[in-house]
Amino acid sequence: MSKIIKLSRAELTGPKERRLLRAMVDQVPDYLFVKDLDCRFVIANEAVVRINGFDTPDEVLGKTDFDLHDAATAEKFFEIERSVIKSGDSIIDMEELVVDAMTGKEKWLLTTKVAMRDDEGVVIGLVGISRDITARKKEDFLRDEQAVVVEMIALNSPLEVVLERLVRLIEGQLDGVFGSILLLDEMGHLTHGAAPSLPQEYSRAIDGIAIGANVGSCGSAAYRRESVIVADIATDPLWNDFRDLAALHGLRSCWSTPILSHQGDVLGTFAMYSASVRSPTEIETSLTQMTTRTAAIAIERRLAEDQINFMAHHDMLTGLPNRSLLIDRLTQAMLQTERHNPWVSVVIVDLDNFKLVNDSLGHTAGDALLKEVSKRMLDCVRPTDAVMRLDGDEFVILLTDLPDNTDAISATLHKLRTAIGEPLTIKDQAFHITCSIGVSTFPQDGTDAETLIANANAAMYKAKAAGRDGFQFFTAEINFQAHARLALLEGIRKGIARNEFHLLYQPQVDMNTGRIFAVEALLRWKHPSLGLISPIQFIPLAEETGLIVPLGDWVLEEACRQNKEWQDVGLAPITVCVNVSARQFQDLNWPSRVLRALDETGLPAECLELELTESLVIRDVDQAVKIMKYLQSAGVAFAIDDFGTGYSSLSALKTLPVSRLKLDQSFVRNLAEDEDDRTIAAAVISLGQKLNMKVIAEGVETDEQVTFLRNNNCDEMQGYHFSKPISSEGIESLLQAQEPKTSGGAIEGRQ
C-alpha cells in the first residue's frame, strides 16, 4: 500500500503549524520538503535550502525544480512528482544524482516521495525526503572498480591501461587529489606509469629522474623504501630541485609511497598530489595502501610476462639463447647452407664431473662456474656463430659458414677445450674443468634440426665413454649406441611387471561440506635391493630418459583401475587426479592412451582429472588447448597444478579448458604470518572463481590456514590437516565413513 500523509489545507498553511513544522524539519539532517500540486516548494528544511545554494527558506519557497536545476534534471524530477500526485502511488528509495549548489560537487541521494492528502483524502501535494548516500556509493564504486582492475590484471590487459584505471579509481574517491604511479627501472630511474590528471608537462619533466635520498617525494620514497609525506612543497628541502616545477603547475603537497613486490623489492612509487598545503587523511592513507598492493600485483604480472618472453628464448643463468632459439637458428642456417653449400655443425659441450663442484662448493659456486665457462665459449667463436645453453652443464655451439672439411671445426674444438680447461678460482679454490664434445654436421649427419642435435648428443656420450676431455664426430656406430639407450624402457616395464611401483592417494576435501570428493594419485617405488626410492630421485631421471612415458601410462591405468574398484565395492564415486609429465603431454599418441585406459578399466571419464603444470601448457598454448579440448569432450577434467610458482600467461589461462586451479603450497605455508602470501592466495582464489574455476589449496596443515581459506571462499583443500598420502585401503575406509553416500553417477562436491 502507498504511504499517505493527510493534512488539511489549514494545517498546511496556518502560521502556528508552519512554525511548528519549521522547528521540526530543520532538526532533520536529511533533505525534507513539501510541494504543492504545481510541484512548488511550500516547505523546505535547512538541508534543502543549503544544497540548492540559498541562505533562507523563503528563497526556496514557491520555486520549482526548473528554477533550481538544469532542464533535463528538472524535467525528470517533475515527471516523477506529477506521477506521484496523479496516481497517489509512492516512490520509495529512488537513487538520484544531484549537484550541491553550495560546493559544486555531485551528490547521490536516496529519495522517497509520497502523496500528501487532506482530511477528505484529496491529494494536495507531496512530501519528499532524501538521504545523502554519496559515501556509500563511493564505497560501492571502489569495490566494483577494484574487481574490474583485478579482472584486467587477470586478463593480461596492458599495464599502462591497468595503472591508469587504478589511479582514476582513487581520484574518484577523493577531492582535489591527483594520483601518479612511477615505475623503477633497472638503472634506478623512475619512469612514467600513469598520471591521468597531472599536467602532462609536469609528468614529462619528472619522467626518468634518478632516485636518491633528497629527490622530491617519489625519488626519496623509492630510495628510502618508505613513505615520504611532504605537506608543503614550497618549504620542504626534499623539493629543492623541483620546487619551481611544482609551483608552476600549482602543486603544494605530495605524499609518496614505494610499491613493493611480494619479495620486498621496490617496483615504483604511488603518489598523491594536492593543490593545498596539508598531510594525507586517514582515508587517503588507507587508499594508498590498497593502491600500492594492487599496483604491485599488476607490475609483477607485467614483469613476469616479460620474463616469460625472455625465458622462452634464453637461459636465465647465463643469458645465452636456449633450445627454442637453437632450433630456429639451426633451421635458418641449414636453409642458407642449401643455397651456398657451406657446412653447418652442431657442437654439444658437456662439462666433465660438474657435479663435484656442486657437491663440494654448492650450487652458487656451480652457477658461477657455468657463467664463466659460457663467457669463455663466447670468446672462442665468431660473431656469425652462436653459443646456447641446453640444460644443466650442457651447451650447444652452432658453427656456420664452414668449409667442407673437418679442419676448421677441429681448430675451433681445440680452442674451446683449451679455453674451458684454463684454471679458474671459486671460493678461493682452484679448479681445472674439462669437457666432452660431440659434433654433427649438416647435411652428412642429418637433414633436420632435431636429428642433428640428437646425433651430436650421441657423439658427446661417445666422447665421455672414451675417457672424457675429448671430442667425437658422429658416426653410424654412435647412432647405434644411442638407439640402444631405448632398452632402458624395458627396465621400467619389468619394474611394473614385478610390482615394484605402487600408488598412494591423498584426499581432496570440499571446504563447505568437509567431504572427500577426489584423491590425488602419488607414485612410489620400492626397489628390490635399494628399498624405497624418493620420487625426487627417480622422476627427474625418468623425465630425462623418456621412461616417464611408459611409467606415466602405468600410473594412469592403475589409478583408473583402483578408482573403478572403489566404485565396484559400492563406494560413492569420486575423482582420481593424475599428474601428467611434459614428455607424456608432448606425445601425440598420449590422448588416445588416456581414453584407452578409461575404456579398459571401465572408469567413467568424469571420474578422472589430469593435472598439468603452468610451465607445461605455456610451451605451446594452442597445442595444449587442442589436446585438452579433445579429452574434455570425452568427459575428462583438467587442473593447473602448482599455480603461482611459474610465469603463467593469464591471457592464455582464460582460454584453457581447466576446471580447477591448485594453489601451490608455497603460498599456503605462511598464510598465518605473511601478508604477501595472503594477498596472493586471495587473488588466486578470486581469479579462479572469476574464470569459473574451482580453487584447491595444496599443503594445508593448520587450523589458521583453513580459517583463512574458508574466509576467502576457497573451494577445496588438500594436505596433512585432513590426511597424509595413504594406501588404497586407507582411502576405502575414509570413504566408507562418509555418510550419506551418493547414488547414481554423480560426483560429490562437483554438483
Side-chain angles (χ1 to χ4, degrees):
M1 296 179 61
S2 301
K3 295 182 180 180
I4 298 175
I5 297 178
K6 293 185 177 182
L7 291 173
S8 67
R9 296 179 186 275
E11 288 174 322
L12 182 63
T13 58
K16 181 178 180 181
E17 287 74 14
R18 290 287 294 275
R19 287 194 298 273
L20 177 61
L21 284 173
R22 169 59 54 193
M24 292 172 57
V25 300
D26 282 343
Q27 299 302 314
V28 178
D30 295 334
Y31 305 95
L32 193 148
F33 56 88
V34 177
K35 292 186 178 181
D36 61 17
L37 295 176
D38 295 324
C39 298
R40 296 181 180 277
F41 286 94
V42 295
I43 295 177
N45 71 348
E46 288 187 2
V48 174
V49 172
R50 288 193 300 272
I51 197 173
N52 285 291
F54 297 106
D55 298 322
T56 65
D58 290 340
E59 296 177 273
V60 178
L61 301 185
K63 288 183 169 57
T64 70
D65 287 314
F66 289 97
D67 300 317
L68 306 176
H69 304 291
D70 61 85
T73 302
E75 184 66 33
K76 181 178 67 174
F77 291 166
F78 181 76
E79 290 297 326
I80 292 172
E81 294 173 358
R82 289 298 301 166
S83 174
V84 171
I85 292 172
K86 183 176 180 180
S87 66
D89 295 332
S90 303
I91 300 294
I92 306 297
D93 290 345
M94 173 181 61
E95 292 187 355
E96 297 178 329
L97 181 63
V98 300
V99 176
D100 188 327
M102 296 292 289
T103 64
K105 298 177 181 177
E106 290 185 337
K107 285 188 175 181
W108 279 97
L109 305 179
L110 189 67
T111 300
T112 294
K113 296 180 180 181
V114 301
M116 183 173 65
R117 303 175 186 270
D118 59 16
D119 291 337
E120 298 175 355
V122 177
V123 175
I124 60 173
L126 63 83
V127 175
I129 185 168
S130 301
R131 173 159 296 174
D132 189 342
I133 59 169
T134 304
R136 192 196 78 188
K137 293 291 287 187
K138 281 189 174 183
E139 291 175 359
D140 292 344
F141 176 77
L142 176 62
R143 183 173 57 254
D144 294 342
E145 281 295 294
Q146 281 181 288
V148 170
V149 171
V150 170
E151 184 175 7
M152 291 173 68
I153 296 173
L155 296 179
N156 205 29
S157 298
L159 179 63
E160 59 273 14
V161 176
V162 175
L163 296 183
E164 180 167 331
R165 185 71 175 255
L166 181 59
V167 172
R168 289 192 183 279
L169 163 61
I170 300 308
E171 291 177 342
Q173 296 293 304
L174 306 171
D175 295 325
V177 169
F178 313 116
S180 169
I181 292 178
L182 296 174
L183 306 177
L184 184 64
D185 65 18
E186 295 179 353
M187 303 300 294
H189 295 86
L190 292 173
T191 61
H192 176 73
S197 300
L198 278 178
Q200 292 186 4
E201 295 82 358
Y202 179 83
S203 295
R204 284 195 292 266
I206 64 172
D207 188 9
I209 62 170
I211 66 173
N214 296 284
V215 185
S217 299
C218 295
S220 302
Y223 182 82
R224 301 178 186 179
R225 302 171 58 84
E226 63 183 13
S227 296
V228 173
I229 308 300
V230 173
D232 187 358
I233 291 174
T235 60
D236 197 296
L238 292 180
W239 281 78
N240 285 342
D241 295 336
F242 306 96
R243 184 174 294 117
D244 293 342
L245 175 66
L248 179 64
H249 298 284
L251 304 175
R252 289 301 307 272
S253 58
C254 180
W255 328 306
S256 183
T257 300
I259 300 170
L260 303 178
S261 72
H262 70 283
Q263 295 177 329
D265 299 324
V266 178
L267 302 173
T269 61
F270 170 65
M272 291 184 182
Y273 291 84
S274 173
S276 59
V277 176
R278 66 182 184 89
S279 296
T281 64
E282 183 177 345
I283 292 177
E284 289 165 339
T285 300
S286 176
L287 288 173
T288 295
Q289 294 172 352
M290 183 278 292
T291 305
T292 54
R293 287 196 300 269
T294 306
I297 294 172
I299 296 169
E300 284 194 277
R301 173 53 56 185
R302 203 281 297 273
L303 294 176
E305 291 291 334
D306 291 345
Q307 192 170 20
I308 289 170
N309 292 330
F310 184 84
M311 290 176 62
H313 302 291
H314 293 83
D315 168 54
M316 292 302 293
L317 175 64
T318 64
L320 296 175
N322 62 12
R323 186 182 184 89
S324 65
L325 269 185
L326 166 63
I327 299 297
D328 178 67
R329 292 190 181 181
L330 180 51
T331 301
Q332 293 299 320
M334 288 189 295
L335 291 174
Q336 291 292 332
T337 297
E338 290 176 349
R339 296 190 187 100
H340 306 295
N341 295 321
W343 276 10
V344 172
S345 290
V346 176
V347 179
I348 290 187
V349 180
D350 189 270
L351 304 184
D352 297 328
N353 300 317
F354 174 73
K355 187 173 183 295
L356 294 177
V357 178
N358 279 338
D359 291 346
S360 59
L361 296 181
H363 288 283
T364 301
D367 289 347
L369 186 149
L370 291 173
K371 290 180 181 179
E372 176 60 28
V373 168
S374 67
K375 293 177 183 177
R376 294 182 180 185
M377 290 184 182
L378 287 170
D379 291 338
C380 292
V381 300
R382 302 163 300 168
T384 55
D385 301 325
V387 179
M388 309 172 195
R389 184 184 179 208
L390 280 189
D391 191 24
D393 59 342
E394 189 172 80
F395 297 82
V396 176
I397 300 174
L398 184 61
L399 303 177
T400 61
D401 294 327
L402 296 171
D404 56 356
N405 61 70
T406 60
D407 293 342
I409 302 174
S410 297
T412 301
L413 298 183
H414 283 297
K415 187 177 180 181
L416 279 168
R417 288 181 60 210
T418 301
I420 293 173
E422 289 291 329
L424 66 157
T425 302
I426 302 175
K427 291 187 176 181
D428 299 325
Q429 184 170 343
F431 278 90
H432 292 271
I433 196 80
T434 62
C435 62
S436 298
I437 302 174
V439 185
S440 66
T441 300
F442 174 83
Q444 295 92 328
D445 301 328
T447 57
D448 62 83
E450 293 291 351
T451 300
L452 286 169
I453 295 170
N455 290 343
N457 197 57
M460 182 270 294
Y461 277 108
K462 179 66 174 179
K464 281 191 177 293
R468 305 175 189 266
D469 191 18
F471 61 85
Q472 290 283 338
F473 288 88
F474 175 77
T475 67
E477 179 186 358
I478 296 175
N479 185 50
F480 174 81
Q481 294 176 358
H483 282 287
R485 288 168 57 85
L486 297 177
L488 290 175
L489 292 174
E490 187 62 24
I492 284 291
R493 296 188 184 97
K494 289 181 179 179
I496 296 172
R498 294 169 182 168
N499 294 319
E500 294 174 9
F501 295 94
H502 66 281
L503 297 180
L504 296 181
Y505 302 88
Q506 187 168 38
Q508 297 179 346
V509 180
D510 187 295
M511 295 200 69
N512 291 322
T513 65
R515 295 174 65 84
I516 301 171
F517 66 87
V519 294
E520 181 178 3
L522 300 170
L523 182 62
R524 298 293 185 264
W525 184 11
K526 186 176 182 180
H527 193 276
S529 59
L530 300 177
L532 289 176
I533 300 178
S534 169
I536 297 176
Q537 293 177 271
F538 69 84
I539 292 294
L541 177 62
E543 282 274 8
E544 177 185 342
T545 61
L547 300 177
I548 194 67
V549 174
L551 187 57
D553 288 347
W554 177 86
V555 171
L556 177 64
E557 292 167 6
E558 175 61 15
C560 291
R561 183 202 62 76
Q562 180 61 69
N563 197 11
K564 184 62 168 62
E565 182 176 301
W566 286 328
Q567 296 180 12
D568 289 343
V569 299
L571 295 176
I574 63 170
T575 298
V576 64
C577 306
V578 178
N579 290 281
V580 180
S581 74
R583 289 288 187 96
Q584 287 176 280
F585 197 72
Q586 292 167 359
D587 190 332
L588 297 178
N589 296 321
W590 174 72
S592 62
R593 295 204 300 274
V594 173
L595 297 180
R596 184 167 65 246
L598 291 169
D599 182 62
E600 291 177 354
T601 60
L603 181 71
E606 293 75 14
C607 296
L608 173 65
E609 183 178 87
L610 301 174
E611 295 184 1
L612 312 174
T613 62
E614 296 180 71
S615 57
L616 189 157
V617 297
I618 207 65
R619 293 179 182 180
D620 189 342
V621 174
D622 293 338
Q623 181 67 11
V625 170
K626 182 179 179 181
I627 294 172
M628 293 167 72
K629 285 187 174 180
Y630 172 75
L631 290 174
Q632 186 189 54
S633 65
V636 178
F638 286 88
I640 296 296
D641 195 15
D642 301 335
F643 185 77
T645 60
Y647 295 94
S648 289
S649 170
L650 293 181
S651 60
L653 179 61
K654 68 178 181 178
T655 68
L656 296 174
V658 175
S659 57
R660 284 204 296 170
L661 294 181
K662 299 193 75 175
L663 176 62
D664 186 71
Q665 59 183 332
S666 63
F667 300 116
V668 175
R669 185 179 302 116
N670 299 317
L671 282 178
E673 56 273 354
D674 193 315
E675 177 62 29
D676 289 331
D677 281 353
R678 289 195 291 270
T679 300
I680 293 171
V684 171
I685 293 169
S686 174
L687 166 63
Q689 293 172 348
K690 283 183 178 294
L691 296 177
N692 296 318
M693 300 177 188
K694 295 282 188 178
V695 178
I696 180 170
E698 295 182 295
V700 179
E701 298 182 355
T702 67
D703 291 336
E704 292 81 2
Q705 293 166 353
V706 173
T707 298
F708 174 87
L709 294 169
R710 184 171 285 119
N711 289 342
N712 283 271
N713 301 315
C714 186
D715 303 295
E716 302 152 357
M717 69 173 180
Q718 174 182 348
Y720 277 43
H721 185 273
F722 185 85
S723 173
K724 64 181 181 180
I726 57 178
S727 66
S728 59
E729 293 81 5
I731 292 294
E732 183 172 338
S733 298
L734 289 177
L735 294 177
Q736 287 174 340
Q738 288 196 156
E739 294 294 339
K741 296 181 179 179
T742 58
S743 61
I747 301 174
E748 183 155 0
R750 294 303 183 90
Q751 300 182 42

